[in-house]
Amino acid sequence: MEQITNNRQIKDNNEQTPTLFQVYKRLGERNRAAKKVVERLASTGTVVAISTVYNVIYGRSSRADITEQFLNVAAEMLAHSKDLQARTAALASAE
């Protein structure tokens, strides 16, 4: 079913948009993503509590600056993890 809103077509689909919490879970247990977000925002002059970052991650609050910073941190952490896996595989196969 399609619905037209403001001259744009919005298609209904059953795909769910990934949430920040799902991204957070992919980073693994005991990751430091929230702390890194707080540190990066502090370096730009924005002071936030770590609980505020978790509220955004869990979907209880909405702040674009925290969301943007979290996605940047998560992308870097996932890229680093993939790099480590590739390097480990390369070393393991070199034996």
Side-chain angles (χ1 to χ4, degrees):
M1 177 180 182
E2 292 186 36
Q3 179 183 13
I4 300 176
T5 306
N6 295 334
N7 297 327
R8 293 186 289 173
Q9 291 185 354
I10 300 172
K11 294 184 180 183
D12 289 338
N13 58 17
N14 292 334
E15 285 184 33
Q16 286 187 328
T17 305
T19 64
L20 293 179
F21 182 68
Q22 290 170 327
V23 173
Y24 179 76
K25 283 176 53 176
R26 281 196 60 208
L27 298 176
E29 291 184 28
R30 300 186 61 117
N31 66 65
R32 301 183 65 203
K35 184 176 180 183
K36 287 184 181 184
V37 170
V38 169
E39 291 169 355
R40 289 196 184 178
L41 288 172
S43 71
T44 63
T46 304
V47 178
V48 296
I50 200 161
S51 62
T52 305
V53 175
Y54 281 115
N55 282 335
V56 171
I57 291 170
Y58 285 99
R60 295 183 212 126
S61 179
S62 175
R63 289 216 13 210
D65 56 344
I66 294 173
T67 301
E68 184 70 32
Q69 221 33 264
F70 172 73
L71 291 174
N72 290 336
V73 167
E76 290 170 12
M77 290 177 79
L78 289 171
H80 180 69
S81 177
K82 286 182 183 180
D83 179 51
L84 289 177
Q85 290 172 356
R87 289 170 44 200
T88 301
L91 287 172
S93 65
E95 292 180 4

